[in-house]
Amino acid sequence: MKLKQIHETMIDNERLYFMGRILGSITHNMKTPLMCIGTSIQSLKELINEYSNSIGDSLVTNDDHHDIAKDMEVAADNIYQYLVYLKDLALTLKDQTVSRSISQYNSFTIDDLLKRLNIILNDQLKVYRCTMNSQHNIDGNTIIKGKLISLIQVICNLVINSAEAYENGGTIDFKIDEQNGKVQFIITDCAGGIPKDIKEKLFKELVTNKGKDGTGIGVYSSYQIIKKDFMGDIEVVSEEGIGTTFIISIPNS
């Protein structure tokens, strides 16, 4: 019982570490749209001033008025698009801060998941000089039962593990498919694979092949989350010297 409590405490600590890392990424992502909104507002003010000064000017044609109005429309559209993006960031931020005890067994769509993953992983993958190829052979409206933040954590953990396995950057394949009544999330890298002795214990205990820099919590907690929160499973296929594939299988609601 004591060992189980230690594992649960370590997993909770890993969740907090994950949350801190993701919150940092989200707040960083807010800087660019806020700056662009400011620039667009300044442009809009200049266009309004230009339009105001053109009223009653006989040299200003109807086409000129239409051109100014079109430029105003472009500036307004840019502001709207950046506001929509900030709204998505705010929703993602909320996902990371809501207590696990609240709406533990709610539901979300594949599109909801992808939108949050793109926001969270965009900057993090750049740090590791990695790119992610995505292929989604499933309806975006497909519903998954469970807590969105939990699946985000699992997928991000596995994707970042793959990114860290590369020494000088590389490519990660992320595929979503539907097989035999289950939704599958498949993450593949070509970063050299996992040693056999580590792979055999990967989901059974806290093990790592990252030396002193690894905790082994990420994969272990991911497995526990999928089993307990989604009634699913995780498989790993890995060949030393080549690469690794993680397959997350979750019952289709």
Side-chain angles (χ1 to χ4, degrees):
M1 179 63 69
K2 187 175 181 180
L3 182 60
K4 181 180 179 181
Q5 291 175 343
I6 292 174
H7 280 185
E8 288 179 351
T9 299
M10 294 182 74
I11 290 172
D12 286 340
N13 289 340
E14 195 265 346
R15 287 182 189 275
L16 291 175
Y17 170 76
F18 169 82
M19 185 181 297
R21 186 170 65 180
I22 297 312
L23 292 183
S25 175
I26 292 172
T27 53
H28 174 75
N29 285 348
M30 287 183 173
K31 294 180 182 179
T32 299
L34 286 172
M35 291 177 61
C36 291
I37 287 173
T39 301
S40 294
I41 289 174
Q42 184 61 37
S43 297
L44 190 57
K45 289 172 66 176
E46 292 174 358
L47 288 166
I48 291 171
N49 186 56
E50 180 183 352
Y51 187 80
S52 178
N53 291 335
S54 71
I55 295 175
D57 189 336
S58 60
L59 297 177
V60 179
T61 66
N62 286 338
D63 287 340
D64 292 331
H65 284 294
H66 285 302
D67 287 341
I68 295 174
K70 185 176 181 180
D71 289 340
M72 287 182 179
E73 185 178 5
V74 169
D77 285 342
N78 286 338
I79 292 172
Y80 177 77
Q81 293 301 323
Y82 289 126
L83 287 174
V84 169
Y85 180 70
L86 285 173
K87 177 186 175 183
D88 291 338
L89 284 174
L91 289 173
T92 304
L93 186 63
K94 180 181 177 182
D95 290 340
Q96 309 310 311
T97 55
V98 172
S99 170
R100 278 177 51 78
S101 63
I102 300 174
S103 300
Q104 176 65 36
Y105 294 103
N106 57 2
S107 61
F108 54 91
T109 67
I110 294 294
D111 281 345
D112 291 332
L113 174 69
L114 292 174
K115 185 181 294 184
R116 306 298 197 280
L117 285 175
N118 287 334
I119 289 172
I120 291 172
L121 288 172
N122 184 45
D123 276 359
Q124 292 204 50
L125 288 174
K126 290 179 182 177
V127 171
Y128 296 101
R129 301 189 299 279
C130 286
T131 57
M132 187 165 73
N133 293 330
S134 297
Q135 181 181 352
H136 313 131
N137 303 320
I138 189 171
D139 188 339
N141 293 317
T142 299
I143 295 175
I144 301 292
K145 288 184 178 179
K147 196 165 180 61
L148 179 58
I149 180 178
S150 296
L151 189 54
I152 287 173
Q153 179 181 350
V154 169
I155 294 175
C156 285
N157 272 337
L158 297 179
V159 169
I160 296 303
N161 277 351
S162 289
E164 289 176 341
Y166 284 107
E167 293 184 2
N168 297 300
T171 300
I172 299 165
D173 293 327
F174 177 51
K175 181 180 179 181
I176 305 178
D177 212 337
E178 195 169 8
Q179 296 287 338
N180 301 321
K182 294 184 178 181
V183 179
Q184 291 188 330
F185 303 89
I186 304 168
I187 300 160
T188 301
D189 65 60
C190 299
I194 302 171
K196 184 178 179 181
D197 59 328
I198 297 294
K199 187 176 72 171
E200 291 175 349
K201 298 182 288 186
L202 205 55
F203 301 129
K204 299 177 182 178
E205 54 187 281
L206 305 179
V207 294
T208 180
N209 63 344
K210 299 177 185 176
K212 63 181 180 62
D213 296 323
T215 63
I217 301 175
V219 175
Y220 179 83
S221 67
S222 295
Y223 179 73
Q224 295 297 320
I225 289 168
I226 294 300
K227 295 291 283 188
K228 295 178 180 179
D229 293 358
F230 293 92
M231 307 303 172
D233 198 8
I234 299 182
E235 303 173 57
V236 59
V237 178
S238 186
E239 187 172 349
E240 287 191 67
I242 297 181
T244 301
T245 295
F246 282 96
I247 304 170
I248 305 166
S249 298
I250 294 175
N252 190 341
S253 60

